Amino acid sequence: MTHSSPRRVRRPAYLAVAVALTAALTGLPSVPSFASSTASTGLSTASSTGRTAAPASGASSSPGTSGAGAAAGSASAAAPRTSVVLDSYMPVASPGVPLSLSGHVDLAPSDSGQDLKVEVRVMPGGIPAAGGRARLEQARAKPTSVTYSAPLSDPVPVGPDHKFTLDAPLDQKVSKPQLTIYPMRVSVLRSGTLIAAAYTFLVWAPPQPSLKPIAVSTVLPISAPPKLRSDGMLTDDGLAKDIKPGGRLSRLLDALDPTSEQKSAVALALDPTLLKTLRVMAGRDTYGAAAVCTTVPNCYRFASPSGPREQPLSRDAATFLDRLSAFANTRGNTVFALPWGDVDLAALVRAGELNDVLWAVNTGRQVVAEALGHRDAKDAVKAAYPVDGLADPATLAFLAAKGVDVTTVIMDDRLLPAASRSATPTALTVQQTSAGPIRALAADSRLAQLVTAPEAESNEPKALGDMLAELAMITSEKSNQNRLAVLALPRDWNPSAQVAQQVLHALGSPANSGYQPFFQPTALPVAPVSTAGAASGAGDDSTGSTAPSAATVTAGTARLALTYPQWAADREIPTSYVDAVEHLRDEAALLDPVLCARIDYRVNPPVAANPATCKLRHDVIDPMKNTLLTALSVQWRANRPGAVHLSQEVDGRTNLIRNGVRVQASEKVTLTSREGTVPLTVNNISDTLPGNAFPMTVLLSVSSNDKTRLRSASTIPVIVQPGGVAQVLISVSSDAAGTFPVYIQVLTPDGKRLTTQPARILVRSTAYGTIATAITYVAVGLFAAAVLLRLVRRRRRRGAGPHGGDGPGEPLAGGPPIGEPPTMADGTRTDPDAAQVTDRVTTPVRRIQANAAGTQRTQSERAYAGGVPANPSEP
C-alpha cells in the first residue's frame, strides 16, 4: 500500500507538533447523548426482560413493578423482591400459531414460592395504527400505565423448580382481522394477587392478502479498534479473545451461519484493518517486515508492559477468515469494505484531506478483496457506512464523486427527516450533490437503538419482541404501500449469542410461513443510481407491484434534504487533531528517499535518485503512514488513549530513524591557501536501534553566513550502511583571510532538512583576498618599473662617457666646449660673468662657481655624472 499526496503544513518543530497532538486529543469532545425520541427507557428496560420488583400487597399493578430502573433505584434501601423472567418467547401469533412462552420466577429470600401462578393479559384492542410508533414508544416507556384487561389464557401453575411454560391458542381470544400490536403483561399471582410482572409486546398477524410487508435491509459491521503498529506488532492481544469461539466477533459470524451456503439479506461492512490484522495473526500476510520469532517457529507479536511477546500463529484467525470468505462467496450475499482504518470520513473531509480519504476508500476495497480471495476490487460493492450514519453534505458529495464512485451510503434517518410525521417514509432516497446523485438509505435510528440497548443485548425476548413490534407497526402505518426500512447496527454491537442468533436470523431469512409476513428481509440496494430511474421509480406512495427494494424517492418528497445538526458535528474527530496526525505522516514520508534513494556515480557530480519500487518503502514507510491513518479511526472518537498509542509509536520510530545519521568533524579547520578540504565523518548508528537498522542516503549541505568569502559545493550525496562510517572531504574555497563558521546540514535526497541542528565548524583561512592580491601585484609592478627605469638611465650614462660626453669632465653632448662660454641661439657669445644666461630651452641650468681647476659644471652635468663632484671644491 503506497500513497503520496501534497500537504499543506510543513515541518514545525517536533515539540510543537507533540504539544498540538496532545492538545487535540484532550480537546476531543465527549460523545453526547443520543438525541432521539426513543432515548433511554429505563422503566421498560427491566420490565421487558421480566425482572421487576413485587408490587404492594393487593395491587394489580404499581410503579414498583415498572422495571429495573425503579428496582435499581431502591436496591440499596430494600431487599431483593420476587421477579419473573422470560426465557423463551415467540412474539408473533396468528390463528394457526399459538402464543408460546416459557420462563422462571426468581424468588425473594423471604418468598416460599408456594401457590404461584402465571397468566398473560394484553391491552384491549391493541395500539392504533395512526401515530402508532409514538404510542408504541409510550407503552414501552411506561408499561404500567397501560390497562391489561384482556386475558389470553387461564393461569398456569409455577413448577417446583420455579419454571413455567404457557401455550395458548388465540383464535378465540383475538378476533381482529388485521395486523395488530398488543402491549402484553406476563403476571405472577398468588391467590389472585399480583406478585411480579414482565412487560413486552405481542404481534397478531392473521392472514391479510392486501398487506404489503415492509422490506428490511440490515447492515452488520464486522469491525474492531485498530491494533496494527507500524513495526508489525499488535498493540495488545485482545483481538484473539474476540475471534475465539464465544468471542464477540465470533458470535456475530455464528449467527449468520456463513458455511451453510444459504443466501442472507444481512450485508456485511468489513473493516479492512481488522482483516489485515487477522491475516498477520494467521501467518497469511505481513505488515511491514516479517516477524522474527525466537520462542516459536512461526508467530505473531504483540506489545505488553513487559516488552514484546510472541504467540503461535492463530488458528482462530484462520478459521474466522475462512468463514468470512465462505459468506462473501455465497451467491446473493452482499459484503462491502469500510475505508482503511475505518477513518472518520467527515472529519477528514472537513480538514481538507481529500487525497487521504480517497486513498483510504480505495485501499480498503483492495485489502478486503485480497482477504476474501478475490484478485482485485474492481467488482467490489461500492457502498459506504459512515460511523453511526453521520455524514455532512461535503462528505456525501465526496462519496458521489468520480473516482470514489460510491453508489449507496447508509445514513442516520435523523439527517434525512420525514416530511410528515403521520407515517414512516421509505428509507430509500436519492440525494443530489455537487458531484452528482447518490443513493442515501435512511437507517432507522429507533429500530437500531431497540436492538442494541444494553439490556436488549443480553436478553433475547426483549430484543426480538421490541424489534418485531416496531417492524409490525411500521407496516401497519401504511399497509398498502411498498417501503424500505434499514437497520444499521453499530460497529461495537456486542449481543449475546442468543440475541445475535434470533435478530440476525429473523432479518436475514424469509419470514415464518405460519403467520402473515409483515416484513421481508431484502438485500441492500447497491446498484448504480440512474437519474432517470430515480425520477420515475416507485415513490413513497407506490401501490403497484414493484418490489419493495426497488422503491426510490427523491429528496424533498417523503424525506427532506440532508441536514447535519451540531450534535453530529460535535462527534467528529477535531480538525486540530487531524492536522497533528497529518503532520506526523509528512514526517514519515520525508524518510522515503532517505531509505530508498540510490546514488548514481555515472554522472559528475553524483546525484541521488529515488526508484519507483523499494522494499524499505513497503516494509517501513508505508506501514508508518498507514498506521497513522488508523489513528484517525472512528473507533477513537470515544477512546482517546488508543489513538495516542498508535501515533506515539510511529512518532518515536520516525525520530529514531531521523537521528540515526550523525555527522562528526573537527571543531576548527585551517586553510593554507585559497582552496582546501573540510574532512567529515558520517555515522549510521541505526544498528543500535532494534528493528530499525537501515542503509541511509543523505545529502550534506555546507553553508556559511558570508558566502562571498567562503564557498563550497552546494550538496554532496552520501550513502552509509547500518553501523557504517563514511569519510567525506568537502572542498571549500576562500577569497579572504579570517575565521568563518561553517554549518553542515544533513538533508534528505530531495533537499528537505533531516536533522534539526546542523554541525558547526570554524574554518580559518590564511589566503589573501582578491583586492589585497591586486594591490600587491600593482605595487610589485610599480616597483619593478622604477628599478627598470633606473637601470636604463645608468646604462645610457655609461655608454656616453668615453666618446661623446655624459661622463665626468666631459661636456654634454651637443653642448659648448669646456672653458668656453655658451653662445646664444644666434651665435653671439655671452659674458661668462653674467648672472643669468639663456641656456637650452629644455634644460634650465644653474651655473656653479668655478673650482680651483678653473672648471665648473651645471647641476644637470653633475646629475649625469652620478652626483660625484669633480673636485672637492664643487658643492
Side-chain angles (χ1 to χ4, degrees):
M1 295 176 290
T2 60
H3 170 55
S4 61
S5 62
R7 300 279 180 238
R8 306 181 315 276
V9 184
R10 291 306 319 160
R11 303 183 53 76
Y14 303 139
L15 181 60
V17 176
V19 172
L21 182 59
T22 303
L25 285 170
T26 55
L28 280 169
S30 59
V31 178
S33 60
F34 201 69
S36 171
S37 61
T38 61
S40 177
T41 58
L43 193 59
S44 64
T45 293
S47 61
S48 295
T49 64
R51 298 189 180 275
T52 65
S57 176
S60 60
S61 63
S62 72
T65 67
S66 61
S74 59
S76 60
R81 307 187 196 186
T82 299
S83 61
V84 58
V85 180
L86 296 180
D87 297 325
S88 176
Y89 164 55
M90 179 58 190
V92 182
S94 71
V97 179
L99 171 64
S100 178
L101 58 84
S102 63
H104 67 275
V105 178
D106 284 340
L107 297 175
S110 60
D111 195 329
S112 64
Q114 301 295 321
D115 301 325
L116 295 181
K117 294 184 179 181
V118 174
E119 73 168 7
V120 178
R121 291 175 178 263
V122 295
M123 172 184 174
I127 298 176
R133 295 192 76 179
R135 294 173 182 266
L136 189 66
E137 179 60 26
Q138 291 175 3
R140 186 181 292 113
K142 297 182 179 180
T144 58
S145 65
V146 177
T147 301
Y148 303 92
S149 60
L152 296 184
S153 68
D154 296 330
V156 297
V158 177
D161 57 356
H162 312 306
K163 295 182 179 180
F164 62 88
T165 300
L166 187 148
D167 290 300
L170 303 182
D171 301 33
Q172 305 300 323
K173 303 293 183 179
V174 179
S175 59
K176 279 201 169 188
Q178 69 272 6
L179 184 67
T180 307
I181 297 91
Y182 292 93
M184 185 175 74
R185 184 183 71 187
V186 180
S187 306
V188 176
L189 307 173
R190 176 182 285 121
S191 301
T193 300
L194 183 64
I195 301 300
Y199 300 90
T200 183
F201 297 98
L202 173 67
V203 177
W204 175 250
Q208 192 175 348
S210 62
L211 184 73
K212 294 186 179 299
I214 185 76
V216 182
S217 294
T218 305
V219 179
L220 173 64
I222 303 296
S223 178
K227 294 184 179 297
L228 270 180
R229 300 185 355 159
S230 68
D231 55 6
M233 287 197 296
L234 278 62
T235 57
D236 56 61
D237 203 27
L239 190 56
K241 300 178 181 178
D242 287 343
I243 61 174
K244 71 179 183 180
R248 184 183 75 87
L249 294 174
S250 182
R251 294 196 303 269
L252 296 179
L253 206 53
D254 288 343
L256 297 174
D257 195 10
T259 58
S260 65
E261 298 184 358
Q262 295 295 319
K263 178 181 177 181
S264 175
V266 178
L268 297 185
L270 302 180
D271 181 357
T273 314
L274 169 64
L275 268 59
K276 185 76 170 180
T277 307
L278 293 177
R279 286 172 60 83
V280 171
M281 295 173 65
R284 298 181 179 180
D285 201 354
T286 60
Y287 189 69
V292 178
C293 305
T294 57
T295 59
V296 293
N298 299 297
C299 70
Y300 69 91
R301 300 185 305 157
F302 65 92
S304 71
S306 59
R309 298 184 60 184
E310 298 177 358
Q311 285 281 36
L313 296 180
S314 173
R315 294 183 179 180
D316 291 335
T319 301
F320 190 92
L321 289 169
D322 292 341
R323 298 172 68 206
L324 204 57
S325 298
F327 179 90
N329 294 324
T330 298
R331 186 178 180 84
N333 286 352
T334 301
V335 298
F336 64 92
L338 297 171
W340 171 260
D342 199 7
V343 295
D344 194 330
L345 296 176
L348 283 171
V349 170
R350 184 181 298 275
E353 301 293 343
L354 301 185
N355 287 333
D356 287 348
V357 184
L358 178 61
W359 182 89
V361 170
N362 291 334
T363 301
R365 293 171 183 168
Q366 187 62 41
V367 171
V368 169
E370 293 174 357
L372 299 179
H374 303 162
R375 292 185 177 181
D376 54 51
K378 64 179 181 180
D379 297 326
V381 173
K382 293 178 172 59
Y385 178 26
V387 60
D388 300 328
L390 304 179
D392 60 356
T395 303
L396 203 62
F398 171 83
L399 295 174
K402 185 177 180 180
V404 185
D405 301 325
V406 169
T407 61
T408 300
V409 57
I410 295 94
M411 304 193 66
D412 191 297
D413 63 347
R414 291 168 294 176
L415 275 59
L416 298 168
S420 173
R421 297 184 179 181
S422 61
T424 303
T426 184
L428 202 157
T429 71
V430 174
Q431 295 289 315
Q432 298 297 330
T433 71
S434 58
I438 188 172
R439 182 186 293 108
L441 303 181
D444 198 302
S445 57
R446 184 182 300 177
L447 190 62
Q449 192 179 32
L450 291 176
V451 175
T452 61
E455 60 275 8
E457 289 183 342
S458 59
N459 188 284
E460 171 196 343
K462 172 176 175 53
L464 191 61
D466 284 348
M467 181 188 74
L468 294 181
E470 200 74 24
L471 290 175
M473 185 57 71
I474 295 173
T475 298
S476 65
E477 288 176 335
K478 289 188 176 182
S479 60
N480 63 339
Q481 296 177 7
N482 288 326
R483 288 172 295 159
L484 175 69
V486 175
L487 171 61
L489 295 163
R491 284 158 165 79
D492 59 350
W493 190 37
N494 188 21
S496 66
Q498 293 77 14
V499 170
Q501 173 69 28
Q502 290 292 334
V503 171
L504 295 180
H505 180 75
L507 297 177
S509 305
N512 192 320
S513 59
Y515 57 84
Q516 173 63 47
F518 54 88
F519 71 95
Q520 180 64 46
T522 305
L524 190 73
V526 293
V529 175
S530 169
T531 304
S536 62
D540 189 51
D541 297 325
S542 172
T543 58
S545 59
T546 307
S549 61
T552 61
V553 57
T554 56
T557 55
R559 290 189 180 273
L560 302 179
L562 173 65
T563 62
Y564 196 63
Q566 187 59 44
W567 60 263
D570 290 341
R571 294 188 181 187
E572 295 178 10
I573 293 177
T575 300
S576 58
Y577 172 61
V578 175
D579 290 341
V581 172
E582 289 294 342
H583 171 76
L584 294 180
R585 297 189 75 233
D586 288 342
E587 296 297 322
L590 283 178
L591 299 178
D592 184 288
V594 175
L595 301 185
C596 292
R598 295 295 177 262
I599 300 177
D600 187 358
Y601 293 99
R602 296 173 297 177
V603 296
N604 190 18
V607 295
N610 203 9
T613 59
C614 172
K615 187 177 186 302
L616 289 180
R617 180 182 298 130
H618 175 271
D619 292 348
V620 181
I621 303 300
D622 290 345
M624 288 197 293
K625 293 166 61 179
N626 299 344
T627 297
L628 283 171
L629 209 57
T630 66
L632 298 174
S633 172
V634 296
Q635 300 281 353
W636 309 132
R637 282 186 169 188
N639 182 13
R640 305 171 191 178
V644 175
H645 293 161
L646 289 173
S647 58
Q648 284 184 343
E649 183 268 328
V650 178
D651 188 29
R653 193 180 185 199
T654 301
N655 288 332
L656 286 176
I657 297 175
R658 293 169 64 98
N659 295 329
V661 176
R662 295 185 179 178
V663 176
Q664 296 178 344
S666 302
E667 293 184 0
K668 295 182 179 181
V669 175
T670 301
L671 301 182
T672 58
S673 62
R674 291 186 57 191
E675 296 184 353
T677 58
V678 176
L680 299 176
T681 300
V682 183
N683 297 325
N684 183 347
I685 62 171
S686 64
D687 61 316
T688 63
L689 312 173
N692 294 294
F694 312 116
M696 297 190 188
T697 304
V698 297
L699 297 181
L700 300 182
S701 173
V702 183
S703 61
S704 173
N705 293 336
D706 191 351
K707 296 182 179 180
T708 62
R709 304 174 70 186
L710 188 68
R711 298 182 303 275
S712 67
S714 56
T715 55
I716 300 174
V718 180
I719 184 169
V720 191
Q721 298 298 324
V725 177
Q727 301 292 338
V728 181
L729 295 177
I730 298 180
S731 298
V732 297
S733 61
S734 175
D735 291 338
T739 302
F740 317 102
V742 174
Y743 300 95
I744 311 298
Q745 181 70 60
V746 181
L747 306 178
T748 65
D750 53 356
K752 298 180 177 63
R753 183 177 296 179
L754 184 66
T755 57
T756 54
Q757 295 296 331
R760 184 175 182 269
I761 303 173
L762 289 177
V763 176
R764 180 174 178 269
S765 174
T766 58
Y768 287 102
T770 302
I771 297 177
T773 302
I775 294 174
T776 302
Y777 285 163
V778 170
V780 171
L782 292 176
F783 177 76
V787 171
L788 182 62
L789 180 61
R790 185 168 185 176
L791 291 176
V792 169
R793 288 177 176 175
R794 282 185 177 182
R795 180 168 293 184
R796 276 183 175 181
R797 222 173 21 250
R798 291 171 181 169
H803 299 289
D806 289 356
E810 298 291 335
L812 290 173
I818 297 176
E820 294 185 8
T823 60
M824 297 297 291
D826 57 357
T828 6
R829 293 186 180 270
T830 59
D831 184 0
D833 297 328
Q836 297 291 337
V837 296
T838 302
D839 205 344
R840 290 174 295 182
V841 295
T842 58
T843 307
V845 178
R846 182 175 65 88
R847 293 294 179 178
I848 301 176
Q849 192 173 8
N851 54 22
T855 62
Q856 58 183 0
R857 294 184 297 176
T858 64
Q859 281 186 330
S860 297
E861 290 172 341
R862 291 185 61 192
Y864 277 102
V868 180
N871 54 68
S873 65
E874 284 188 351

